[in-house]
Amino acid sequence: MRPFRRLRPDLASLRWKIAALAAATACLVVAAVGVLVHLWTAHDIRSRADMQVFNGVYSAMDVYRRTGTPADGAELDPADLPAALRHPTDGNRHTAYDGRVDADANAGPTMWAGQRTGGPGSRVLAVRVNMSNDFHTLRQLDVTMAVASLAALAAAAPLAVYGAGLLARRLRRVSETAGRISAGDLDARTGPTKGRDEVADIAATVDLMADSLGQRLRTERQFTADVAHELRTPVGGLLAAVDLLPPGETEDLLRARVRDLRGLVEDLLEISRLDAGAERPVRARVPLGAVVSEAVTRTGLDTEVTVAGVISGEVIDGEADAAWTVETDPRRLERIVSNLVVNAHRHGDTPVRVTVEDRTVVVRDHGPGFPKDLLLHGPRRFHTGATERGSGHGLGLTIALGQSRLLGAELRLDNAPDGGAVATLRLPD
């Protein structure tokens, strides 16, 4: 039976999410650094050009005042002088940036500086510096940074995937441990993990939770075993006392109730032994059909048994399945089958059919079916599920499941599409 849904988080996707996040962060960092370098370099180019033309005008003005002619590189009222320098209102030096690009004239971004040679209305002495080469170098720097960034990203991405994989494997280990605990393996532990981080804290917490849960369950199981053991003697004495009562309706009612109480105590003791791992199967090779038929007969309930396609009313003579033998513990197998049949009659509805084929035993009723909670979480003690499935102490399926695990068999509980509960017992090869 598979009463628990195993925890299977998609940790592979977590690995890629972490890797993608690391790659995106790296891209943002690279882009930010590239933009800052570009802006700083462009500002530095303009600052150096500004200083160069400013100093150039100073030298050219000194030469012009001494010789009356512009120095090399200086011009008087050039035609393409920016408007900001063409009509200055004072005699100070001024600079201006012209970002126009003239492909025909092979001219690019230019930094200008100008100063009037005399008072208002005098000519403007100007010096220019072409920054095309500098900005070409800037574009090459941008391309170089982009290529280097892509190369660094290509090298960092596998490292990010590898690092995320390490984290995912550690998380998967914790997840698998939690899944085993939820499936009933209270001895499952994550154990020590590498590193001292949040994953290690989670692993330690899961192990601590398992220790605490295991201790509580052991305490409860021991309490149940002790109570059942202590009740066994007084219940036996009570049953003996009932036998001394005079025959009558009261005696029959008391005897039935005392027998129910004794059955409950025996069930509790059996569950306690199964929980403690004290039970050991005694295996023998037996005909499966005959054992199942005998178990159904002992219940005394009207049940139809089918073996290898042969139907014979309530039970069969066992000859039809003589070739179908299994190596198992016949007493425990009978216990499982009888519990399933009794549960089908008590909580389901007739007809109840038992089918034996190969190594599989199927018990089906035509009642309301198993409740969803039981199919999701498995049978629980003293819990019978939905109200429409009747009353009872809810130990029959728990015992059947425990005995099945002891035999290495699989007990699966389902509901038939057309209604009714279906219990399938599949014995191991």
Side-chain angles (χ1 to χ4, degrees):
M1 180 182 177
R2 293 175 293 181
F4 297 98
R5 292 182 177 178
R6 195 172 178 80
L7 300 178
R8 297 181 181 273
D10 192 0
L11 294 179
S13 65
L14 177 61
R15 172 192 299 179
W16 293 111
K17 288 178 180 177
I18 294 176
L21 179 60
T25 303
C27 288
L28 290 176
V29 172
V30 167
V33 171
V35 171
L36 290 176
V37 170
H38 176 88
L39 294 177
W40 181 87
T41 304
H43 181 267
D44 181 67
I45 291 173
R46 293 182 60 171
S47 296
R48 285 188 289 107
D50 184 273
M51 184 179 298
Q52 184 179 350
V53 295
F54 193 87
N55 293 335
V57 166
Y58 180 84
S59 299
M61 183 60 68
D62 182 65
V63 172
Y64 182 80
R65 285 174 177 171
R66 285 187 291 105
T67 63
T69 58
D72 293 339
E75 303 174 69
L76 289 173
D77 293 332
D80 50 353
L81 184 66
L85 300 180
R86 190 175 296 278
H87 305 290
T89 59
D90 53 27
N92 297 327
R93 292 183 293 275
H94 298 277
T95 59
Y97 173 73
D98 185 1
R100 293 175 297 176
V101 177
D102 188 351
D104 295 335
N106 195 23
T110 304
M111 182 65 71
W112 289 87
Q115 182 179 1
R116 287 198 176 276
T117 57
S122 61
R123 306 181 71 180
V124 176
L125 181 66
V127 175
R128 74 174 78 184
V129 173
N130 193 319
M131 297 185 292
S132 298
N133 291 336
D134 293 329
F135 278 100
H136 178 70
T137 303
L138 177 61
R139 288 191 293 270
Q140 288 182 330
L141 177 62
D142 292 340
V143 172
T144 302
M145 288 196 60
V147 173
S149 299
L150 291 176
L153 184 60
L159 295 178
V161 173
Y162 177 74
L166 293 178
L167 177 61
R169 281 192 289 272
R170 295 173 63 197
L171 288 174
R172 184 180 293 109
R173 183 179 175 185
V174 177
S175 173
E176 290 175 352
T177 301
R180 290 170 56 191
I181 294 173
S182 69
D185 183 7
L186 298 181
D187 294 328
R189 296 294 184 275
T190 303
T193 60
K194 297 180 180 179
R196 297 181 179 179
D197 51 15
E198 288 79 359
V199 178
D201 292 341
I202 293 174
T205 302
V206 170
D207 288 349
L208 182 62
M209 176 196 68
D211 291 338
S212 177
L213 181 61
Q215 181 61 38
R216 290 187 180 185
L217 288 179
R218 283 190 292 270
T219 301
E220 292 179 1
R221 289 171 179 174
Q222 186 61 43
F223 174 76
T224 302
D226 293 343
V227 170
H229 183 75
E230 293 297 327
L231 286 176
R232 194 173 188 179
T233 300
V235 168
L238 186 60
L239 185 60
V242 171
D243 291 337
L244 300 178
L245 294 176
E249 181 177 352
T250 301
E251 186 267 345
D252 292 338
L253 180 61
L254 286 176
R255 184 184 297 274
R257 293 295 178 265
V258 172
R259 284 177 177 173
D260 290 341
L261 182 58
R262 184 178 66 176
L264 174 59
V265 172
E266 295 295 335
D267 287 346
L268 288 174
L269 285 173
E270 184 174 358
I271 289 177
S272 299
R273 290 193 297 269
L274 290 172
D275 289 340
E279 295 289 293
R280 294 292 182 272
V282 180
R283 300 183 182 275
R285 183 158 289 279
V286 295
L288 180 59
V291 174
V292 171
S293 300
E294 181 66 21
V296 173
T297 301
R298 289 182 179 179
T299 64
L301 301 172
D302 185 13
T303 305
E304 184 181 274
V305 181
T306 302
V307 179
V310 178
I311 303 178
S312 58
E314 297 182 6
V315 296
I316 63 172
D317 55 11
E319 296 180 357
D321 66 323
W324 288 3
T325 59
V326 294
E327 186 174 347
T328 186
D329 188 328
R331 182 181 67 84
R332 299 184 190 280
L333 178 58
E334 288 185 5
R335 177 68 162 153
I336 296 171
V337 174
S338 62
N339 276 19
L340 294 178
V341 171
V342 170
N343 183 82
H345 280 278
R346 178 178 296 169
H347 302 297
D349 199 0
T350 57
V352 176
R353 297 190 177 95
V354 178
T355 304
V356 182
E357 184 176 357
D358 196 9
R359 296 176 178 275
T360 303
V361 180
V362 179
V363 180
R364 178 185 175 178
D365 62 52
H366 289 76
F370 292 116
K372 294 181 179 179
D373 184 63
L374 186 144
L375 295 178
L376 180 62
H377 301 289
R380 290 180 287 175
R381 304 166 192 183
F382 301 102
H383 184 79
T384 57
T387 305
E388 63 270 16
R389 286 194 55 85
S391 60
H393 50 70
L395 297 180
L397 289 180
T398 304
I399 293 175
L401 178 60
Q403 295 288 10
S404 300
R405 290 174 175 169
L406 189 63
L407 296 180
E410 178 188 12
L411 178 59
R412 184 183 181 91
L413 305 181
D414 294 299
N415 288 328
D418 56 345
V422 181
T424 303
L425 177 67
R426 183 171 290 105
L427 296 172
D429 296 335

